[in-house]
Amino acid sequence: NILKVVRMTNKYFADQKPWVFIKKLNSSSDEDISIENNYDQNDFIRLCQILYLTYETLRISSIFLTPIIPNSTNLLLSKLNINESNRNIDYINFDYHSFNIDNLNNLKTFFIKEKQHFKDH
């Protein structure tokens, strides 16, 4: 069940608390996550592992769910910087899409805007 996987991923993300690593890695939470910033390498590696697993699970789940909820999944896939030509069943395996931590900087505003959108409607 895809939604069960998404719920498990949400729990994993919440339990792993990546924001703790981000705060440790950046002097300000408003800065972009960057390997150029001063960081502890182990914290950076752990953060990348958490974000990679979450990112790939969301990407693959969104591809599977696109026929059912196309607007929401296409919005998320766009925020994940997934090319429209890579949003089909041929691209559902892990490691197909090269994960780039810079892609995640878009998500800060995505979650804030989406939360506001749901309050407004």
Side-chain angles (χ1 to χ4, degrees):
N1 184 322
I2 298 169
L3 295 179
K4 184 175 182 178
V5 170
V6 172
R7 282 191 295 275
M8 290 171 55
T9 302
N10 186 51
K11 181 178 178 356
Y12 166 79
F13 188 81
D15 290 348
Q16 296 301 311
K17 300 178 178 145
W19 51 88
V20 172
F21 294 103
I22 292 169
K23 284 181 183 178
K24 286 170 66 175
L25 295 170
N26 290 317
S27 58
S28 168
S29 62
D30 291 335
E31 292 180 27
D32 289 342
I33 303 164
S34 173
I35 198 162
E36 287 83 24
N37 292 343
N38 293 328
Y39 65 94
D40 175 274
Q41 189 169 6
N42 291 330
D43 286 344
F44 187 78
I45 290 169
R46 185 66 191 125
L47 174 63
C48 287
Q49 290 169 336
I50 295 164
L51 296 178
Y52 171 78
L53 181 61
T54 304
Y55 176 92
E56 282 294 272
T57 302
L58 289 173
R59 182 183 67 81
I60 292 168
S61 297
S62 292
I63 291 171
F64 277 121
L65 291 169
T66 295
I68 301 165
I69 49 173
N71 292 338
S72 297
T73 56
N74 280 315
L75 178 62
L76 179 57
L77 289 166
S78 292
K79 291 295 181 178
L80 294 174
N81 288 326
I82 306 301
N83 189 302
E84 287 188 28
S85 64
N86 297 348
R87 297 178 186 184
N88 63 60
I89 202 96
D90 295 333
Y91 298 90
I92 59 167
N93 55 321
F94 274 80
D95 291 329
Y96 186 85
H97 183 307
S98 61
F99 173 75
N100 183 342
I101 200 161
D102 292 331
N103 290 347
L104 300 176
N105 289 316
N106 290 342
L107 294 179
K108 289 181 203 170
T109 56
F110 173 74
F111 290 113
I112 293 167
K113 287 179 183 175
E114 288 307 301
K115 186 175 180 181
Q116 186 60 45
H117 171 77
F118 289 118
K119 282 183 180 178
D120 293 343
H121 290 91

